[in-house]
């Protein structure tokens, strides 16, 4: 008999050691042996993140995502948009994190009934039902120590008795009757810069992924507008459904009724064509000599185009070639660590002081007699720059309509390194 | 106090304990017990034995407990159908509860219980819920129809639920609309011919309105549904596109990709000159780029789809090369896909950047990725001609690394570069041969063998090299065996004297000791060819190979169109039509892109649009990929590429091939020949073996090879050839110098024979007899082929015309000028000497028409120093007339190309001594001055050839 199940048939959660620790079936039960195909792929993959996201099996397809070192493996049986499934799985992860603070095997096991209720609420017959965290929280209350105690005493439940109000309104993302004593709206502009810098220090590609995350706690039905000093930067944007697209198209103003609580208002992308400023430079000299069992290692970091803001939380990591046995390096500041098994070098630099540039110098010992390694290590850099958005994006003003009170408003900027790589 | 306590059990029968707790009087204890049951269920434990006890807990006013019981029911109802009936009454009651949440929950759960008996009871509550006042219940009920349909389709139709569902498309609540669309789409999938989703402009309008207001998931359902619609005209198409484009800015990548699908499909109908068309093209790039900054799993799906989009509309992403550059910590599956797209986007403008990146990748750690990067370098060389040189030197650098798998990949791609640019990079063969011993993969071994066989004449020890492979013949893979067989036969045809033993050895290995039918067949074919007609063998085996096309793994256009209609689906990830792999897709309809229509005309039925749309606009010639992109190139020396155009006319040839084999095979195979002949066409293995060899013949016999150079070289209509040019007779020997004998004459070529046409006049007073003629040694070995036929004595004032056939086998000596001929004529009076110049066109032989590919290769091969350019002034012929005039003198036009009003004629000439002259004649309309470039390995002849051109064209 066939079950042409639309969308997700079953879900298995697999931990990094390859054990299934939770299964959920929305239709008939699929034997967990279907995951054997997944385990095979997992074995073949050199790294956990290299397991292919779509795996065909004779009767099913397995679509998986890896988050927080847990594989979320969805089983599907018919033609389904894979992005639909992947997006849904990411949403599941986000919801777990939202509910339990962390998304770990322990947290999921500790809350297995809530997890089950959530999964049931999020998907019906393969159709996503309620995936907005606002609505879910009205249907199933997140566990807190206090509530567990109260429930045990009073015999009341975690499950909301009322139909969530937002579910069917024209603003499904917001519940009605929100009340706060302190009305506040905070926005974080966070930009991540991805870049590849070549040996000689010139930029091969650089792009910025930006988001505006909001935390809005406002009474009633506020209607907000947010305008920018330089909206032209935003030509490639994805909005939260609350944003009125027409108004943006016409006036480049964000106009929206915000969801209650934390949400991502928009994400944007500034491409490499718009010449992204690179905030940090690396001088490096990593050499291996033929026939010698020693190699030299020198690294110096310096700030560049940071608009006067300091580089913080700088962390360098690099996968050294397999032939490297150990390193003997001397950091001018911070601490460094080399793992002789994984060959991973990491250097926690901390802040960069432009007057005294941090450096890491010394020697590497190589396997005796081995030929000089072919590959050059790539250097990964992480850093943060507070109070600055690298693209130069600036909020002009934030206004509220529809309610009479005066809210607290705040905007913060931050730049972080995303995948920032320097080739040597 | 966490749920993990539900997992702790005592040793004393767990089920027994739970049973007791479930039947407890205390509500709280009951709930805790159900939670324990659910917890066991989540880890796959069988708790079905508790079914009656759990069902007993169902009648409660505690919503959480109710939900938990429902959860349990859904899981186990199937194994306990009779028990499930017990729950029905509660369901029916709950469907009328005052709380819409409970009504919805009940109808939803009932639909999930896949037990036939329960469905009859479901109908009435479902009907009520579909018309419920609360939209939350309606939207849940809509989904329930799809569930019920899955269990009992007939029941759903009989009860009229489908019509109710259709009505819900006009519901006031967008979420209800979205769910109705989703349910109808799912039902329609199992009834491909039912007209469930009757899409018309009105319903489309409703869908578009709902699109703006429903949730992200609903938007996906609606967009996927819209993609099935065929707009009536371009105006409707544009208006839908306009309303769909805002979805490109959605945060949900699945919404974005579904919107891309709708736009890619409807764009097909927009006129290309429309402003909106280019606006739309520009709008598509940013969202696709943004998808690449998402989580790696999303990136992977996006990349697979971008791969299709780039093939269909390369212009969208042509400036976005950099976003596909690989980051070293990308997961391998993302890296490989990015690499693929990089090659597709490679062009002359960005090739330097791309090559630098690829070289960087070739030194990474991951073996698969490095291999693919090396292959990518080869593909760049083939795709962007200007970069070929740099690619080859990059590959040579990589070979120097001596990293085994890098060397092997490099050799495989260099073989393809040889195929694409013959006679250009063969200087690297020596380097390749150095690495012969390190090759252990069949593909690399086969590639190397191919190279050795193909260039056997340039490799001194080719026979030794091939012989070394032959030692372990039976341990090699089929691929290598076939290649080795062909290579040795090639070698034999090129150096027959030294390699007779070798070829015999390989033929006997292939035909007598092998179990592989393909190998045996190929062996027999060669054997037969070699023993019956070595000349034919040469033509077949050493035939010119069609050039390989630029893109080696493009998806075939019809499949590509279908896949574009399926953007965002599994089909688009696997690049296979949905019908090919999805289980349970019953009779899937093949989707096609709509045809472009004018605003006035309308395609009434979608089928008309489909038929029109399936005709590809410009079908590029393609070698279909077979998983491994270069796999089938290996066999190309035996078979021409499959082209998307009409197949090369090989059927006739194939028959010829069969005849050729017919008799011979009998004797070879004895009694078995009968059945073999009988199912030659039927058996695929035989078909492959036999079909391959004769199929090469069209190429060698001058039949046009489909695709290949066809589009580059377009042979203009060549008129009927006129007669060869014959210069007027001039006086060679005046009477004064020869005691009264005057000789005038000219040269002509008639029916392939060179003739010296002489007029002898006796201006003396006495009779002349005993005529004889002799030539001095000359540049082309011209000599009289017979005696001078002057039979009757020549009286005073008498004139006689004589034709003297000439041969070109006389002694050779280089003359200056080249076409100078010194002649001695004797008669009864004396011997007279004179010299004359013959037009070199006399020596142009009839079979001087060069094969196009050969022409191209030869032209490239001849060094540029050998090229000479001339001007021909005051010539008033058009290019076609010139071409036909020249053809009369055995100057053959091979191809004609028109560039900016200038006709370029490519011609070839073969001299009687085998020298080839290649010419490029440029004719500008309205300009009487022609430019001619001549290329020849013996550049001395160019001047004479040019004189011929001038003479022929001006007379």
């Amino acid at each position: 008999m066939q079950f042409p199940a639309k969308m997700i048939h079953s879900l298995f959660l697999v931990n990094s050691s390859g054990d299934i620790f939770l299964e959920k079936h929305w239709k008939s039960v699929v034997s967990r042996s279907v995951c054997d195909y997944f385990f095979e792929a997992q074995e073949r993959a050199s790294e956990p993140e290299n397991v292919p996201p779509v795996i065909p099996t004779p009767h099913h397809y397995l679509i998986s995502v890896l988050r927080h070192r847990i594989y979320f493996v969805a089983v599907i049986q018919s033609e389904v948009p894979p992005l639909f499934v992947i997006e849904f799985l990411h949403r599941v992860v986000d919801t777990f994190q939202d509910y339990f603070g962390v998304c770990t095997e322990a947290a999921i096991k500790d809350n297995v009934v809530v997890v089950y209720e959530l999964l049931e609420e999020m998907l019906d017959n393969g159709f996503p039902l309620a995936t907005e965290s606002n609505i879910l929280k009205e249907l199933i209350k997140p566990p807190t120590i206090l509530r567990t105690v109260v429930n045990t005493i009073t015999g009341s439940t975690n499950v909301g008795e009322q139909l969530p109000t937002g579910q069917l309104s024209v603003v499904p993302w917001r519940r009605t009757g929100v009340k706060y004593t302190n009305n506040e709206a905070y926005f974080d502009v966070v930009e991540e810069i991805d870049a590849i810098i070549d040996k000689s220090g010139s930029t091969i590609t650089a792009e910025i992924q930006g988001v505006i995350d909001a935390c809005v706690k406002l009474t009633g039905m506020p209607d907000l507008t947010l305008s920018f000093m330089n909206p032209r930067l935003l030509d490639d944007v994805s909005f939260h459904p609350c944003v009125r697209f027409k108004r943006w198209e016409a006036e480049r103003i964000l106009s929206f009724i915000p969801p209650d609580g934390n949400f991502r208002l928009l994400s944007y992308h500034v491409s490499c064509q718009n010449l992204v400023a690179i905030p940090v430079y690396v001088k490096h000299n990593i050499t291996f000599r033929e026939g010698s069992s020693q190699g030299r290692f020198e690294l110096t970091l310096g700030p560049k185009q940071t608009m006067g803001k300091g580089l913080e939380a700088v962390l360098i990591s690099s996968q050294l070639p397999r032939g490297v046995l150990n390193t003997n390096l001397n950091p001018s500041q911070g601490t460094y660590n080399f793992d002789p098994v994984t060959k991973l070098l990491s250097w926690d630099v901390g802040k960069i002081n432009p007057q005294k540039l941090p450096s890491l110098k010394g020697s590497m010992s190589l396997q005796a007699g081995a030929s000089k390694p072919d590959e050059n290590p790539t250097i990964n850099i992480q850093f943060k720059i507070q109070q600055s958005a690298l693209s130069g994006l600036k909020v002009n003003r934030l206004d509220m309509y529809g309610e009479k009170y005066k809210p607290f408003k705040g905007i913060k900027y931050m730049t972080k390194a995303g995948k920032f790589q320097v080739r040597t | 106090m966490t749920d993990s306590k539900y997992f702790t059990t005592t040793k004393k029968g767990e089920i027994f304990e739970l049973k007791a707790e479930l039947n407890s009087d205390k509500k709280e204890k009951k709930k805790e017990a159900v939670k324990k049951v659910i917890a066991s269920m989540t880890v796959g434990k069988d708790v079905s034995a508790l079914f009656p006890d759990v069902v007993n807990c169902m009648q409660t006013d505690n919503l959480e407990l109710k939900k938990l019981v429902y959860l349990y029911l859904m899981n186990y109802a199937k194994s306990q159908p009779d028990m499930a009936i017990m729950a029905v009454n509660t369901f029916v009651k709950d469907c009328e509860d005052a709380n819409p949440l409970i009504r919805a929950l009940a109808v939803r759960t009932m639909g999930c219980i896949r037990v036939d008996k329960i469905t009859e009871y479901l109908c009435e509550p479902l009907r009520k819920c579909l018309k419920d006042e609360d939209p939350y219940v309606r939207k849940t009920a809509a989904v329930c129809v799809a569930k019920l349909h899955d269990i009992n389709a007939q029941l759903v139709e009989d009860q009229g639920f489908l019509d109710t569902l259709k009505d819900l498309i006009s519901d006031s609540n967008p979420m209800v609309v979205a769910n109705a669309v989703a349910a109808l789409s799912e039902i329609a999938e199992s009834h491909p011919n039912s007209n469930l989703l009757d899409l018309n402009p009105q319903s489309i309008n409703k869908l578009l309105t709902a699109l703006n207001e429903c949730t992200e998931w609903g938007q996906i359902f609606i967009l996927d549904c819209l993609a099935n619609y065929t707009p009536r005209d371009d105006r409707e198409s544009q208006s839908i596109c306009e309303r769909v484009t805002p979805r490109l800015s959605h945060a949900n990548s699945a919404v974005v990709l579904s919107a891309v699908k709708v736009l890619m499909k409807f764009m097909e109908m927009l006129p290309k000159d429309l402003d909106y068309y280019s606006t739309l093209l520009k709008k598509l790039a940013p969202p696709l780029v943004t998808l690449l900054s998402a989580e790696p799993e999303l990136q992977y799906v996006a990349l697979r789809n971008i791969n299709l989009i780039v093939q269909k509309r390369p212009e969208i992403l042509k400036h976005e090369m950099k976003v596909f550059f690989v980051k070293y910590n990308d997961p391998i599956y993302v890296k490989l896909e990015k690499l693929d797209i990089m090659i597709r986007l490679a062009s002359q403008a960005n090739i330097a950047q791309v090559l630098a990146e690829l070289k960087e990748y070739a030194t990474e750690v991951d073996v698969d990725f490095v291999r693919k990067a090396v292959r990518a370098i080869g593909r760049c060389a083939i795709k962007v001609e200007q970069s070929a040189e740099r690619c080859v030197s990059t590959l040579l650098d990589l070979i120097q690394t001596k990293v085994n798998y890098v060397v092997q990949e490099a050799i495989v791609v260099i073989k393809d570069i040889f195929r694409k640019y013959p006679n250009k990079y063969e200087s690297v063969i020596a380097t390749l041969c150095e690495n012969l011993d390190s090759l252990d993969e069949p593909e690399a071994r086969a590639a190397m063998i191919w190279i050795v066989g193909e260039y056997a004449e340039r490799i001194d020890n080719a026979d030794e090299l091939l012989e070394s492979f032959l030692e372990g013949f039976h341990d090699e893979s089929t691929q290598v065996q076939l290649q080795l067989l062909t290579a040795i036969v090639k070698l034999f045809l090129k150096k027959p004297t030294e390699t007779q033993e070798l070829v015999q050895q390989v033929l006997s290995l292939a035909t007598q000791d092998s179990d592989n039918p393909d190998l045996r067949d190929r062996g027999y074919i060669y054997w037969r060819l070699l023993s019956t007609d070595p000349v034919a063998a040469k033509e077949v085996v050493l035939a010119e190979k069609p050039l390989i096309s630029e893109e080696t793994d493009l998806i075939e256009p019809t499949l590509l169109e279908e896949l574009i209609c399926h953007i965002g689906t599994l089909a688009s990830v696997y690049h296979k039509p949905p019908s090919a792999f999805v289980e349970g897709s019953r009779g899937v309809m093949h989707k096609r892109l709509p045809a472009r229509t004018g605003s006035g005309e309308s395609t009434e039925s979608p089928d008309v649009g489909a038929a029109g749309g399936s005709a590809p606009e410009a079908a590029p010639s393609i070698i279909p990929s077979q998983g491994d992109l270069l796999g089938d190139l290996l066999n190309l020396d035996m078979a021409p590429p499959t082209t998307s155009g009409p197949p090369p006319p090989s059927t006739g040839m194939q028959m010829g091939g069969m005849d050729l084999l017919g008799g011979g095979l009998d004797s070879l195979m004895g009694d078995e020949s009968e059945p073999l002949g009988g199912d030659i066409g039927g058996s695929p293995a035989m078909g492959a073996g036999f079909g391959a060899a004769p199929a090469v013949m069209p190429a060698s016999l001058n039949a046009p090879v489909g695709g290949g150079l066809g589009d580059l070289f377009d042979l203009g209509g060549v008129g009927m050839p006129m007669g060869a040019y014959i210069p007027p007779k001039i006086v060679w020997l005046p009477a004064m110098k020869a005691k009264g004998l005057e000789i005038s004459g000219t040269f002509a070529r008639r029916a392939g024979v060179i003739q010296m046409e002489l007029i002898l006049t006796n201006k003396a007073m006495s009779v002349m007899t005993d005529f004889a003629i002799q030539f001095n040694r000359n540049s082309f070995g011209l000599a009289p082929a017979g005696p001078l036929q002057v039979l009757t004595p020549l009286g005073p004032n008498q004139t006689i015309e004589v034709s003297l056939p000439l041969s070109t086998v006389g002694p050779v000596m280089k003359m200056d000028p080249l076409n100078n001929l010194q002649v001695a004529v004797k008669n009864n009076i004396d011997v007279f000497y004179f010299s004359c110049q013959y037009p070199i066109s006399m020596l142009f032989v009839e079979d001087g028409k060069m094969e196009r590919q050969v022409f191209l290769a030869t032209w490239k091969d001849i060094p540029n120093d050998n090229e000479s350019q001339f001007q021909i002034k005051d010539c008033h012929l058009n290019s076609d007339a010139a071409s036909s005039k020249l053809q009369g003198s055995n100057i053959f036009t091979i191809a004609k190309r028109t560039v900016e009003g200038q006709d370029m004629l490519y011609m070839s000439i073969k001299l009687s001594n085998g020298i080839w002259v290649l010419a490029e004649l440029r004719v500008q309309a309205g300009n009487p001055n022609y430019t001619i470039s001549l290329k020849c390995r013996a550049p001395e002849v160019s001047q004479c050839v040019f004189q011929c051109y001038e003479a022929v064209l001006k007379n």
Side-chain angles (χ1 to χ4, degrees), chain A residues 72 80 99 133 135 155 163 198 204 239 248 303 332 362:
Chain A
F72 292 76
V80 173
Y99 265 71
S133 135
I135 294 166
L163 187 63
D198 77 359
I204 293 180
F239 296 114
W248 170 258
S332 69

Side-chain angles (χ1 to χ4, degrees), chain A residues 1-4 6-7 21-25 27-29 32 46 49-56 58-59 61 64-67 76-84 86-88 90-91 109-114 116-117 120-121 123-125 127-129 131-132 139 148 152 155-164 167-168 194 196 199 204-205 207 209 236-239 241 245 249 269 272-273 319 322 374-375 378 380 419 421 423, chain B residues 1-4 6-7 28 31 35 38-39 41-44 61-64 67-68 71 74-75 78 99-101 108 112 114 134-136 139-140 143 146-147 150 173 175 182-183 186 189 216-217 220-221 224 246 248-254 257 283 286-287 289-290 293 295 297-298 300-301 319-320 322-323 325-333 357 360-361 363-366 403 568-571 573-574 578 581-584 586:
Chain A
M1 183 171 169
Q2 279 180 329
F3 301 115
K6 189 85 179 174
M7 307 305 160
F21 65 92
L22 188 114
E23 56 184 282
K24 161 76 186 155
H25 306 277
K27 288 216 159 177
S28 54
V29 178
R32 54 167 67 193
S46 50
E49 57 268 26
N50 281 349
V51 180
V54 186
I55 301 170
H59 301 289
Y61 284 83
S64 63
V65 303
L66 174 66
R67 294 265 308 255
I76 59 170
Q77 212 165 19
S78 62
E79 179 60 271
V80 173
L83 279 188
F84 189 113
I86 294 173
E87 282 279 3
F88 179 79
H90 283 304
R91 211 59 59 86
K109 276 183 168 166
D110 281 352
N111 297 290
V112 70
V113 177
V114 178
Y116 229 65
E117 287 170 340
E120 188 57 32
E121 212 52 65
L123 201 71
D124 173 25
N125 192 43
F127 300 107
L129 206 58
T131 51
E132 282 283 335
L139 286 166
T148 322
T152 331
S156 65
T157 71
N158 279 339
V159 173
E161 303 272 345
Q162 290 304 312
L163 187 63
Q167 182 82 317
L168 291 158
D194 290 350
I196 304 177
K199 284 185 192 55
I204 293 180
T205 86
E207 49 189 338
Q209 316 293 344
D236 182 3
V237 232
S238 308
F239 296 114
F245 190 74
E249 285 275 272
H269 176 253
C272 34
Q273 274 134 6
Q319 184 77 44
R322 264 167 292 189
D374 303 314
E375 76 261 20
T378 301
N380 259 346
K419 285 185 171 179
Q421 316 187 335
R423 292 176 181 160
Chain B
M1 287 292 280
T2 66
D3 291 353
S4 53
Y6 301 128
F7 292 109
E28 198 47 37
K31 201 167 84 186
K35 281 192 177 178
I38 300 283
M41 206 167 79
T42 59
V43 291
D61 45 6
N62 183 313
L63 190 59
E64 188 181 15
K67 273 189 164 179
L68 292 172
L71 274 179
M74 279 185 252
N75 233 19
K78 193 145 176 56
N99 185 342
L101 207 54
R108 178 175 143 204
C112 293
R114 306 184 54 88
D134 194 307
Y136 182 74
K139 98 177 185 167
T140 315
V143 176
K147 296 180 193 168
D150 194 23
N173 186 294
M175 272 318 299
E186 186 181 327
E189 211 165 86
E216 48 197 317
W217 313 109
I220 300 169
F221 294 133
D224 285 347
L248 292 176
S249 301
H250 203 286
N252 186 318
S253 61
L257 206 55
K283 280 193 174 167
V289 170
T290 302
S293 51
E295 286 84 356
E297 299 92 1
L298 296 171
Y300 171 74
V301 177
H319 298 303
E320 303 289 346
K322 283 185 172 179
V323 299
F325 284 179
V326 171
K327 305 211 170 73
Y328 100 104
N329 45 1
D330 281 335
I332 181 71
Y333 55 81
E357 280 294 302
E360 196 74 40
Y361 303 160
T363 60
E364 280 213 23
V365 192
D366 190 289
V403 179
T569 65
L570 275 175
V573 172
Y574 282 95
F581 65 98
V582 174
E583 200 171 276
R586 297 159 267 204

Side-chain angles (χ1 to χ4, degrees), chain A residues 97-346:
Chain A
Q97 194 157 16
D98 196 21
Y99 265 71
F100 315 130
V102 284
C103 181
T104 61
E105 183 179 353
I108 291 171
K109 276 183 168 166
D110 281 352
N111 297 290
V112 70
V113 177
V114 178
V115 165
Y116 229 65
E117 287 170 340
L118 279 173
L119 290 176
E120 188 57 32
E121 212 52 65
M122 291 178 82
L123 201 71
D124 173 25
N125 192 43
F127 300 107
L129 206 58
T131 51
E132 282 283 335
S133 135
N134 268 310
I135 294 166
L136 280 171
K137 282 186 177 162
E138 282 185 57
L139 286 166
I140 299 156
K141 303 217 171 63
T144 61
I145 293 169
L146 181 68
R147 184 167 303 122
T148 322
V149 176
V150 171
N151 287 354
T152 331
I153 298 164
T154 62
S156 65
T157 71
N158 279 339
V159 173
E161 303 272 345
Q162 290 304 312
L163 187 63
T165 45
Q167 182 82 317
L168 291 158
S169 72
V170 274
V171 276
W173 53 85
R174 189 175 179 90
R175 59 195 172 99
T176 49
V178 184
K179 274 210 178 80
Y180 289 101
T181 41
N182 289 329
N183 288 296
E184 44 194 25
Y186 297 118
F187 293 86
D188 289 347
V189 179
V190 182
E191 295 194 340
E192 279 191 16
I193 171 167
D194 290 350
I196 304 177
I197 312 291
D198 77 359
K199 284 185 192 55
S200 59
S202 51
T203 310
I204 293 180
T205 86
E207 49 189 338
I208 291 173
Q209 316 293 344
V211 296
I212 300 185
D213 282 338
C215 175
V216 177
K217 293 179 174 166
L218 296 175
T219 307
M221 270 287 168
D223 200 332
L224 302 180
T225 59
L226 188 70
S227 64
F228 297 95
M229 308 276 269
N230 37 11
R232 269 188 311 127
L233 278 169
L234 302 175
D235 63 343
D236 182 3
V237 232
S238 308
F239 296 114
H240 189 277
C242 68
V243 176
R244 296 182 180 101
F245 190 74
K246 284 232 168 77
R247 181 105 192 257
W248 170 258
E249 285 275 272
E251 303 169 50
R252 298 277 135 172
I253 285 175
L254 291 178
S255 154
F256 54 98
I257 295 174
D260 185 40
N262 294 315
F263 66 99
R264 175 156 297 172
L265 180 63
L266 71 98
S267 55
Y268 58 94
H269 176 253
V270 181
S271 73
C272 34
Q273 274 134 6
N274 300 6
L275 222 110
V276 175
I278 302 295
V280 63
Y281 73 87
V282 182
K283 265 198 253 168
H284 51 80
N285 181 16
I286 303 173
T287 48
F288 305 100
R289 247 168 307 135
E290 196 71 69
S292 155
S293 62
Q294 291 282 312
R296 285 180 59 77
F297 188 100
E298 279 182 36
L299 212 64
T300 310
L301 297 172
K304 181 174 148 185
Q305 294 168 305
T306 56
M307 294 170 288
K309 306 287 193 304
L311 285 162
E312 298 171 15
V314 181
L315 185 74
I316 302 287
S317 60
S318 178
Q319 184 77 44
L320 296 186
R322 264 167 292 189
V324 177
L325 281 184
N326 215 333
T327 59
N328 181 17
L329 305 176
N330 208 357
S332 69
Q333 70 180 76
T335 51
Y336 99 96
N337 178 41
F338 176 72
D339 183 340
V341 181
T342 59
K343 313 292 181 198
L344 189 71
L345 174 84
S346 57

Side-chain angles (χ1 to χ4, degrees), chain B residues 353-481:
Chain B
Q353 252 183 345
V354 173
L355 265 184
E357 280 294 302
L358 291 176
K359 203 174 170 186
E360 196 74 40
Y361 303 160
T363 60
E364 280 213 23
V365 192
D366 190 289
V367 178
D368 284 342
F369 182 58
V370 171
R371 281 172 179 276
K372 193 149 182 178
V374 176
R375 287 204 176 202
I377 295 173
R379 277 169 72 184
C380 284
I382 288 166
K383 191 169 175 199
V384 184
E385 184 163 359
Q386 293 81 356
S387 76
E389 191 125 16
R390 226 175 329 171
C391 294
V392 170
S393 75
T394 308
L395 288 169
L396 284 180
D397 288 349
L398 291 173
I399 288 178
Q400 300 305 342
T401 64
K402 302 278 176 196
V403 179
N404 185 281
Y405 53 87
V406 173
V407 173
Q408 309 213 33
E409 287 300 325
I411 286 183
V412 172
V413 295
I414 285 180
K415 182 210 65 186
D416 291 326
I417 295 176
F418 283 176
R419 282 291 314 277
K420 172 80 182 179
Y421 309 110
N423 306 316
K424 217 169 164 189
Y425 300 110
E426 280 74 5
S427 52
V428 309
I429 288 177
T431 320
L432 302 184
C433 288
E434 287 164 19
N435 292 285
L436 210 62
D437 298 332
S438 63
L439 308 180
D440 52 13
E441 290 163 22
E443 205 181 348
R445 285 174 84 82
M448 194 62 220
I449 293 169
W450 182 87
I451 292 170
V452 174
E454 187 65 18
Y455 299 101
E457 68 272 32
R458 308 192 193 188
I459 306 171
D460 294 335
N461 59 343
D463 47 345
E464 284 169 35
L465 294 178
L466 291 175
E467 200 169 359
S468 68
F469 282 105
L470 205 56
E471 282 159 18
F473 188 77
H474 289 300
D475 301 327
E476 300 282 5
S477 73
T478 310
Q479 190 182 19
V480 180
Q481 289 176 330

Side-chain angles (χ1 to χ4, degrees), chain B residues 177-252:
Chain B
V177 177
N179 274 15
V181 167
L184 280 171
S185 307
E186 186 181 327
I187 295 171
E189 211 165 86
S190 51
H191 287 268
N193 297 322
S194 65
N195 207 8
L196 272 181
L197 275 165
D198 181 22
L199 296 177
N200 52 49
Q202 288 75 38
S203 60
I204 289 293
N205 200 29
K206 278 176 202 151
L207 291 182
L208 286 169
T209 312
L211 182 62
N212 288 327
E213 291 168 9
C214 66
T215 68
E216 48 197 317
W217 313 109
Q219 293 184 16
I220 300 169
F221 294 133
I222 292 180
L223 287 168
D224 285 347
C225 177
L226 277 177
N228 289 327
Y229 177 64
T230 307
R232 287 160 308 166
D233 53 40
D234 54 343
R235 227 173 286 159
E236 189 186 7
S237 189
Q238 179 176 345
S239 87
I240 295 175
C241 287
E242 278 166 358
R243 293 176 72 176
V244 166
T245 32
R247 297 302 118 207
L248 292 176
S249 301
H250 203 286
N252 186 318

